Amino acid sequence: MNKLEAFGHIAALAIRGDLVFPTSVNAALAVQLALDDPDCPMEEAIRLVLAEPQLAARTVSLSNSAMFNRTGGPTITNVRAAIMRVGYHNLFALAAAMVVRQFGSKIEDPELRAKAEQLWDHTIHVACLARIIAREVTGVNPDTALFAAIVHEVGGFYLLSRADEFPGLLEPDPENWQPASEEIITREVMHKLGVPEPVANAIEGLRDGFLQVPPETLLDTLLLANHFAPVASPLETPREEPPHSESVIDLFIDEEKRAQITEEAARDAASMSAALLV
């Protein structure tokens, strides 16, 4: 099976809803879907988190990270206090991060594993940047921006998780037909994961969307976060930016604000990476 046939096969399976997820992904997904209910009782949230030891450990760890404990509050040692500190929205994003991360956990090929690690680093940086840009620049809900950024490369993670089965799947694509297949696969994976439509639409818009003036949408937030991310996606398809795009960004994010955003995001990314290490 050549590369074109492999992409076509995976895309066709995705359209039918026949997606191959690791068992660990299905478990984390069940927790994520339950937590999507804002009326989920605290006791139920605690029960769900404790049922997944890895999620419980990461929740407590994240609650003690600099990202969620900037004031130097007391060290949290239990799930109840951790959930109260990070909040339901961020707990939902944490479960999503576990889903995304688990896609790469079973990859055996060293090159593919290296790509999965780079994609994870890219995702964490974009997530931390998106949260701050939402707060400081676009006015989008920071929790939504964080979640959207965590899942914005989920299609790429899924392809990496299947690439062991299809040698050459992610080799260079001179004819540039790969993006269309990736778009189909990403859309179907997001549907399977229950990604809300506004978030899914923003992620799909990343492929050919451009920053609007002034930047004030979730798509703008993700575009800016990807622009500033110090780690590039290993699956990124080069695209031509419109003329003067950098000067347009400078209109809304001056050098001082850019430095503040990138420095804060770098600190958050370091603490978030440590908290979510799996």
Side-chain angles (χ1 to χ4, degrees), residues 118-132:
Q118 184 179 336
L119 192 57
W120 176 246
D121 287 343
H122 167 77
T123 296
I124 289 296
H125 281 284
V126 172
C128 293
L129 282 161
R131 185 169 177 264
I132 298 166

Side-chain angles (χ1 to χ4, degrees), residues 133-210:
I133 289 167
R135 186 187 73 211
E136 301 288 337
V137 180
T138 61
V140 170
N141 183 300
D143 293 335
T144 300
L146 177 69
F147 170 70
I150 282 174
V151 299
H152 86 285
E153 287 284 6
V154 71
F157 278 105
Y158 182 75
L159 284 171
L160 283 168
S161 75
R162 302 297 306 275
D164 273 330
E165 304 168 49
F166 302 97
L169 180 67
L170 298 176
E171 288 178 357
D173 173 29
E175 295 179 18
N176 203 36
W177 46 256
Q178 181 174 326
S181 298
E182 284 183 356
E183 188 172 340
I184 293 170
I185 293 163
T186 297
R187 184 183 304 122
E188 296 305 322
V189 172
M190 287 194 295
H191 177 71
K192 176 78 170 181
L193 296 180
V195 174
E197 187 175 349
V199 173
N201 289 342
I203 292 170
E204 289 183 31
L206 280 171
R207 187 173 301 282
D208 52 16
F210 293 108

Side-chain angles (χ1 to χ4, degrees), residues 39 76 86 99 169 177 224 274:
D39 297 322
I76 283 180
V86 305
V99 168
L169 180 67
W177 46 256
L224 286 168

Side-chain angles (χ1 to χ4, degrees), residues 210-223:
F210 293 108
L211 195 67
Q212 71 173 31
V213 179
E216 56 187 12
T217 68
L218 182 57
L219 174 58
D220 294 329
T221 305
L222 293 176
L223 286 168

Side-chain angles (χ1 to χ4, degrees), residues 1-40:
M1 185 180 290
N2 63 31
K3 180 175 178 175
L4 177 57
E5 291 171 333
F7 259 105
H9 178 66
I10 295 173
L13 290 175
I15 291 171
R16 293 207 319 253
D18 190 1
L19 296 164
V20 179
F21 287 1
T23 304
S24 53
V25 167
N26 289 322
L29 179 58
V31 175
Q32 181 194 345
L33 292 177
L35 292 171
D36 190 30
D37 180 3
D39 297 322
C40 178

Side-chain angles (χ1 to χ4, degrees), residues 43-57:
E43 296 304 322
E44 177 65 7
I46 293 170
R47 186 190 69 76
L48 288 167
V49 173
L50 287 175
E52 290 298 320
Q54 196 174 84
L55 179 58

